[in-house]
Amino acid sequence: MSDERVLAVDIGGTKMAVGIVDPNGRVESYERTETPRVDAEGLWRTLEALLDKLHTDGELIGVGVGCGGPMKWPSAEVSPLNIPGWRDFPLRDRLRERHPGLAVRVHNDAVAVAVGEHWRGAGKGSDNVLGMVVSTGVGGGLILGGRLIDGASGNAGHIGHIVVDPGGLPCTCGGRGCLEAIARGPALAAWAEAEGWRAEQPAATAKDLAADAGRGHPIAVAAMRRAGRALGIAIASATHLCDLDVVAIGGGLAQAGPLLFAPLEETFRAHARMRFARNVRVVPAALGQTAGLVGAAALIFEGGSYWNAD
Amino acid sequence: MSDERVLAVDIGGTKMAVGIVDPNGRVESYERTETPRVDAEGLWRTLEALLDKLHTDGELIGVGVGCGGPMKWPSAEVSPLNIPGWRDFPLRDRLRERHPGLAVRVHNDAVAVAVGEHWRGAGKGSDNVLGMVVSTGVGGGLILGGRLIDGASGNAGHIGHIVVDPGGLPCTCGGRGCLEAIARGPALAAWAEAEGWRAEQPAATAKDLAADAGRGHPIAVAAMRRAGRALGIAIASATHLCDLDVVAIGGGLAQAGPLLFAPLEETFRAHARMRFARNVRVVPAALGQTAGLVGAAALIFEGGSYWNAD
């Protein structure tokens, strides 16, 4: 095997993770830390300290990054919704200064997860894949015809803002009835709490809800059904528009397993009735926690498929 | 200018049209006829008779076709919903026999319209375009990153089956609440008739309704609002998923102009609230009746962008 390696970075509101990834998508060296609530330079120093801990005997050929959005793309001045310390922070430029001569490519963190699942995960071998992350938000990325779809501004893949209930809940985006307004962890937890559910944890998350549903808590089970139905409608719309092969779903909520996927599948099949939609497979993501790092690495290793910018 | 020409064909349930198209997308020679209600060979003879009437001094380099779906793609055994005489009719093979040595490329008729609008119409110069036809059905085609998106089976672009009202009207596809179930001409006319509207024509179409709305008929105006709202929701979902530059809308209903586009725009802007969605333009299609022929020709002239099959 080639000794080429990619330095991969995954930056979200909860954690920062970095790793050295080999051409097979294996993560050789891995470090992570909580994302601190500090200013822009403090955040950068935290990232640098993490990177300093990595080690490889291989030859670094580039830096691939998934980072919470929004960002100006592909220049990657990032303003992650859940990282208030970075507003128009020049992440790509900073990484280029730190790693002169190496290609640096940054994309949305959910896009990186979708790319990882397409390259080495549940979407491997399929040309038309929607990768999704259902967690604090609902994000995603689209691979069509074997190539990552960026859209006009690098923002393609926002499945969380497909409208599933036009007269429904207001969404953080300013719209109404988006998938994310129903199925994001905090919204689902709020719904469950209003129905009488109380998690032991003070800050109840999608993962807590999924765990409680697994223990048979009836309101948590109902919450999974609610999320599953909203996901099923959105995925049916995406399937009809994009003629997908595979939809891979990751994130905390996906850990509920059949409690989420059974109502999802039922609603999806009720709405995705065009003949061509019958062959789509809706499956759990395969790569788990490191999907974002693997996808970030693929931006470098497989630039022909996943990187259409300068 | 080059003397290369394409033989272009546009086959729908209502009419068959053929033309000679030049590299600028200009239709030089044009013939059309009503699609007869005859058997498979009768339909083929009708098409051949039309083709026989065309004339060009240029050099024919290929045959491009838009045909009503569904079809097996790219082999183009066609079974158009509204042409009962053709079921698994080998349209591509027949045209190859008739024009030996020429490339023959067949795609869905709404996809051909979208390609035409991207190549030479309202989407010209934009890399991320959704072209739509709102008529007896609601169809479309997607160009993303400057390339036609085919999807897993050549069926990408089915915007008519994005779900806009999950508990709503049953759709001919077997689903419920699809855009097409609300906004297709016959459904809209049925809704208007139930509200008290009577067109003079015995078979009322989207075009009749659009015309009556133009004359100020209040129920016809309300029908345009109803269609506009459903379109606005579906286009917001498509925009968030695909990060579009331009949505170009053609077909009979689009002739209602602002009576359709004003409520469409209002609903679209209320739901398409992600910052990146603000720059999308939703506009009437520019090419009119010949969009399908122009797009069919582009499958040959610009195969690198619009033809990803064998």
Side-chain angles (χ1 to χ4, degrees):
Chain A
M1 195 184 69
S2 149
D3 72 343
E4 293 183 344
R5 297 291 181 273
V6 168
L7 188 58
V9 178
D10 183 12
I11 302 174
T14 309
K15 66 165 174 45
M16 287 182 175
V18 300
I20 303 290
V21 181
D22 77 15
N24 292 324
R26 216 165 48 84
V27 181
E28 287 186 342
S29 171
Y30 177 79
E31 296 290 338
R32 61 178 282 176
T33 187
E34 277 184 28
T35 305
R37 297 278 135 184
V38 294
D39 69 3
E41 294 307 319
L43 285 157
W44 173 250
R45 280 191 301 270
T46 305
L47 178 59
E48 284 205 300
L50 270 191
L51 291 170
D52 285 341
K53 292 190 203 169
L54 293 177
H55 174 261
T56 179
D57 292 325
E59 180 206 355
L60 276 188
I61 62 164
V63 183
V65 183
C67 182
M71 69 180 73
K72 281 180 204 135
W73 184 89
S75 60
E77 288 122 58
V78 302
S79 309
L81 209 59
N82 298 311
I83 308 180
W86 275 355
R87 285 298 172 265
D88 287 322
F89 182 79
L91 182 58
R92 195 183 192 193
D93 285 348
R94 286 299 187 86
L95 286 164
R96 278 174 162 164
E97 285 163 25
R98 189 187 152 93
H99 299 279
L102 290 191
V104 177
R105 295 172 179 172
V106 183
H107 225 310
N108 179 282
D109 54 352
V111 168
V113 168
V115 166
E117 290 292 334
H118 180 253
W119 188 41
R120 295 295 185 226
K124 194 174 169 180
S126 297
D127 274 350
N128 302 277
V129 174
L130 170 64
M132 296 179 64
V133 180
V134 186
S135 173
T136 311
V138 178
L142 265 180
I143 289 91
L144 298 175
R147 296 162 59 120
L148 179 64
I149 299 299
D150 298 309
S153 60
N155 280 293
H158 274 86
I159 177 112
H161 300 277
I162 279 194
V163 180
V164 298
D165 183 12
L169 293 173
C171 182
T172 46
C173 75
R176 188 173 280 279
C178 298
L179 169 61
E180 180 168 293
I182 296 167
R184 67 193 286 260
L188 213 57
W191 179 86
E193 281 171 14
E195 297 285 315
W197 173 70
R198 288 289 178 278
E200 289 99 76
Q201 292 84 348
T205 66
K207 218 166 150 178
D208 301 330
L209 251 188
D212 270 14
R215 289 181 209 109
H217 192 298
I219 297 171
V221 169
M224 292 304 114
R225 261 202 311 273
R226 178 176 163 84
R229 283 196 293 252
L231 286 160
I233 292 165
I235 295 171
S237 290
T239 295
H240 282 155
L241 184 61
C242 298
D243 190 7
L244 302 165
D245 295 297
V246 172
V247 180
I249 307 178
L253 209 66
Q255 304 190 7
L259 290 166
L260 179 75
F261 280 88
L264 189 168
E265 186 80 18
E266 188 187 348
T267 304
F268 171 68
R269 295 296 165 193
H271 282 287
R273 293 299 286 271
M274 300 292 284
R275 183 181 294 257
F276 69 83
R278 291 184 197 165
N279 301 321
V280 185
R281 292 182 298 116
V282 182
V283 297
L287 298 182
Q289 294 271 15
T290 60
L293 287 179
V294 174
L299 298 177
I300 301 291
F301 280 126
E302 301 289 343
S305 299
Y306 304 126
W307 191 255
N308 308 302
D310 295 327
Chain B
M1 195 183 70
S2 152
D3 72 344
E4 294 184 343
R5 298 291 182 272
V6 168
L7 189 58
V9 179
D10 183 12
I11 301 174
T14 309
K15 68 165 173 45
M16 286 182 175
V18 301
I20 303 289
V21 181
D22 79 14
N24 292 325
R26 216 166 45 85
V27 181
E28 285 186 346
S29 171
Y30 176 80
E31 296 291 338
R32 61 178 282 175
T33 188
E34 278 185 28
T35 306
R37 298 276 136 185
V38 294
D39 69 4
E41 293 307 320
L43 284 157
W44 173 248
R45 281 192 300 270
T46 305
L47 178 58
E48 284 204 302
L50 270 190
L51 291 170
D52 284 342
K53 292 190 203 167
L54 292 178
H55 174 261
T56 178
D57 293 325
E59 180 206 354
L60 276 189
I61 61 164
V63 183
V65 184
C67 183
M71 70 180 73
K72 281 177 202 138
W73 185 89
S75 59
E77 288 122 61
V78 303
S79 310
L81 209 57
N82 299 312
I83 309 181
W86 275 355
R87 287 297 172 265
D88 288 322
F89 183 79
L91 183 57
R92 194 183 192 192
D93 285 348
R94 288 297 188 88
L95 286 165
R96 279 173 162 164
E97 285 163 25
R98 188 186 152 93
H99 298 280
L102 290 192
V104 178
R105 295 172 180 172
V106 184
H107 225 310
N108 179 281
D109 55 352
V111 168
V113 168
V115 166
E117 290 292 334
H118 180 252
W119 187 41
R120 294 297 184 223
K124 194 174 168 180
S126 297
D127 274 350
N128 301 278
V129 174
L130 169 64
M132 296 179 64
V133 181
V134 186
S135 174
T136 311
V138 178
L142 265 180
I143 289 91
L144 299 175
R147 297 162 59 120
L148 178 64
I149 299 298
D150 298 308
S153 60
N155 280 291
H158 272 86
I159 176 112
H161 300 277
I162 278 193
V163 180
V164 298
D165 182 12
L169 292 174
C171 182
T172 47
C173 74
R176 188 172 280 280
C178 298
L179 168 62
E180 180 168 292
I182 296 168
R184 68 193 286 260
L188 212 57
W191 178 87
E193 280 172 14
E195 298 284 317
W197 173 70
R198 288 287 180 278
E200 288 99 77
Q201 293 83 350
T205 66
K207 219 165 150 178
D208 300 329
L209 250 189
D212 269 15
R215 291 181 207 107
H217 191 299
I219 297 171
V221 169
M224 293 303 114
R225 259 202 313 272
R226 178 177 164 83
R229 283 197 292 253
L231 286 160
I233 292 166
I235 295 171
S237 290
T239 295
H240 282 153
L241 185 61
C242 298
D243 190 7
L244 302 165
D245 295 299
V246 172
V247 179
I249 306 179
L253 208 67
Q255 303 190 8
L259 289 167
L260 179 74
F261 281 86
L264 189 168
E265 185 81 17
E266 188 186 347
T267 303
F268 172 68
R269 295 297 164 193
H271 281 286
R273 294 299 287 271
M274 299 292 286
R275 183 181 294 257
F276 69 83
R278 291 185 197 163
N279 301 321
V280 184
R281 292 181 299 115
V282 182
V283 298
L287 298 182
Q289 293 271 18
T290 60
L293 287 179
V294 174
L299 299 178
I300 302 290
F301 281 126
E302 300 290 342
S305 299
Y306 303 127
W307 192 255
N308 307 302
D310 296 328

